[in-house]
Amino acid sequence: MFQDTSLSNPDDSSTSPVRVTHSPSLPIFHTASFSVSISRGRHKLKYHPNLQNKDQAYFQRQAVALKSIQFGSSGIQAQKLQAAVEESYFVAYKVAEQQKCHTIAENLIMPCAYEMVSKICGEDQAKKLSVISLSNNTIHRRIDDMVSDILSQVITEIKESSNSKFSLQFDESCDVASCAVLLGFVRYIHQNRIKKEFLFCENLLTTTKGEDVFNIINSFFTKNGLDWNSVQQVSVDGAPAMMGGHRGLRGLIQAVNPEISVDHCIIHRYSLGSKSLPGNLKLAFEDVLKIVNFIKSRDGNSRIFKELCKEMGEKYEVLLYHTDVRWLSRGKVIHRVIELRKAIQEFLEQKGSPFATKFTNKEWLARLCYLADIFAELNSGNLQLQGRNTTVIDAHHTVAVFLGKLRLWIRRLEKGVIAQFPTLDQFIEENSHETGSLLQTINKEMSDHLKGLETSMHHYFPESDQDTASLQWIIHPFSVPDEAIHDDDFSAKEEWITMRANEALKIELQNQNTDSFWISRLADSPTLSKRALKLLVSSSTTYLC
């Protein structure tokens, strides 16, 4: 009935054999398992005597039910966990939106939230916040998840676009850490409107040549299944790496698809066209920069000047530095100097600076007033070119308006009228005893500057007036002459006649924007609509970058 089994260590002959006696009909139990089994049996007998006769299947059903209660879609615990995850994503979104360090959630937000809840709702309620994960790694993962989700939505919308064509904006620049980055934005049609969305931000690890930029863009297209044949226009800055016809981005893109139009950003062109200044006006502007730098480059001078402005009751207390890469900088710097010219003169006299005599020179001050006025006009035009919703048509209209003003100002100056320059006009009135000599001295300088400005603008915007006139049919299809669409363009002309005869469409255009109107006409007027939407979808600037 019983048999003996001898177990010995084969490596140690001196070890005595261990004899284990057991019955072949009985199972062999490990000591730990046997103890646990006995312990569970005693627990069930003592605390759950009603479950003594239940089989194993019963307990398995109970385990499944318990898990469903705790972690199921309708369970309280599941709801709490779901809420905790949602709040973790919300905090991550706010951290990214405010461009804060990821550790701020764990080191600042959570301690503050815990303290507020414990003081107002009690310690027990505050402890519930512990289920919200806000660690550095978690916030980083949450942001990556949201970025991936948004990008997938944008890519899907681009592919499903009713027009199937989209335009791009690219700009390469260096951040404060001297890292070269390439930013990309996209414009496309989705759900009866034109959308503008962020596409990507990639690092340029080594060089910033046109080939490097193109490789990043092409790799992004390949990874996300985008087709170069769906791109109709690209807007970039004027750097050789971008606009180069052979090795630049423009040349490389058009080598893939020659039909893609690669355009120089209109804001960049506008800024370049307004840079030139003739002799004395340029010297006056350089004097202003030297005066500003003299006051602001020394901490002591800045503090003394600030207190002097307070004592004199000036509207402003500090001067502004000029930054060449800031489009609006010149106008703001000169305007501030004009506003504080009395305080500046007093300060320079106290310091014994030779620049103090500049503020007693009426001709120099008159030039400054003119520069303040003309730069204000240039800044106004620049601001109109900026904005997420600026189209090619809007941009060309703004440039055409400015060129028209230039021609008007030139004609008025030839007649000796300066009312179009309010700061200069006021200064001349305040010095009326010297009006004749002042005007005679600076009139030619202003006229030469305006003529040079007009020439420069025409260089960067050739045929801008004609472009604006030829595009008016898109904005005002029911008010422009019937000849806006030529008879030779037969299919477009037929659609044009049919559309203009429909009075209901006139009312429809009044109740929606131009983009939505032409998108809604894709089915009935495909030739005209596609032609209009090609311009409306195009990116006129790199403003979003």
Side-chain angles (χ1 to χ4, degrees), residues 44 48-62:
K44 186 167 64 174
H48 309 287
N50 57 319
L51 303 178
Q52 284 296 312
N53 299 323
K54 301 294 183 181
D55 58 4
Q56 186 176 5
Y58 170 82
F59 292 103
Q60 290 175 345
R61 290 193 300 272
Q62 293 298 316

Side-chain angles (χ1 to χ4, degrees), residues 274-311:
S274 62
K275 274 187 175 295
S276 61
L277 283 174
N280 288 331
L281 292 175
K282 182 178 181 181
L283 292 175
F285 180 67
E286 291 175 351
D287 288 339
V288 168
L289 300 186
K290 292 175 182 177
I291 291 169
V292 171
N293 291 338
F294 173 75
I295 295 176
K296 290 187 66 68
S297 61
R298 298 172 177 83
D299 294 336
N301 284 352
S302 297
R303 292 192 296 270
I304 294 171
F305 181 74
K306 183 176 182 179
E307 292 302 317
L308 179 61
C309 290
K310 289 181 180 179
E311 292 176 4

Side-chain angles (χ1 to χ4, degrees), residues 460-473:
Y460 285 101
F461 298 96
E463 301 180 355
S464 57
D465 294 337
Q466 291 83 347
D467 287 345
T468 303
S470 64
L471 300 177
Q472 287 303 305
W473 67 270

Side-chain angles (χ1 to χ4, degrees), residues 1-7 18-29:
M1 183 175 178
F2 293 94
Q3 73 180 41
D4 296 338
T5 302
S6 297
L7 301 177
V18 178
R19 188 173 298 276
V20 179
T21 305
H22 66 86
S23 170
S25 61
L26 296 178
I28 301 177
F29 293 97

Side-chain angles (χ1 to χ4, degrees), residues 122-220:
E123 190 72 20
D124 292 339
Q125 297 295 326
K127 289 180 179 178
K128 295 180 180 179
L129 297 177
S130 61
V131 298
I132 303 175
S133 179
L134 297 179
S135 68
N136 176 41
N137 291 338
T138 299
I139 295 297
H140 181 75
R141 287 197 306 271
R142 300 282 190 252
I143 293 174
D144 284 346
D145 290 344
M146 288 185 283
V147 168
S148 299
D149 181 66
I150 293 172
L151 178 60
S152 66
Q153 292 182 50
V154 171
I155 296 298
T156 301
E157 290 177 357
I158 292 173
K159 293 178 180 178
E160 295 175 352
S161 171
S162 57
N163 188 48
S164 75
K165 295 285 186 178
F166 58 92
S167 67
L168 300 164
Q169 298 179 29
F170 295 119
D171 186 50
E172 177 273 318
S173 59
C174 289
D175 59 18
V176 293
S178 297
C179 296
V181 294
L182 177 67
L183 290 173
F185 283 80
V186 62
R187 284 171 62 94
Y188 59 95
I189 296 174
H190 178 67
Q191 293 183 351
N192 207 36
R193 65 191 181 98
I194 295 177
K195 293 188 68 176
K196 288 76 62 178
E197 296 290 349
F198 174 77
L199 201 58
F200 65 79
C201 176
E202 296 288 347
N203 290 320
L204 292 163
L205 300 179
T206 54
T207 58
T208 58
K209 299 177 182 178
E211 185 178 0
D212 301 318
V213 175
F214 177 78
N215 288 339
I216 288 178
I217 300 170
N218 194 50
S219 175
F220 179 86

Side-chain angles (χ1 to χ4, degrees), residues 314-331:
E314 297 286 359
K315 182 179 178 180
Y316 304 106
E317 297 176 356
V318 294
L319 296 172
L320 301 176
Y321 270 127
H322 169 62
T323 307
D324 196 47
V325 295
R326 301 291 183 184
W327 294 320
L328 311 181
S329 179
R330 292 190 302 176

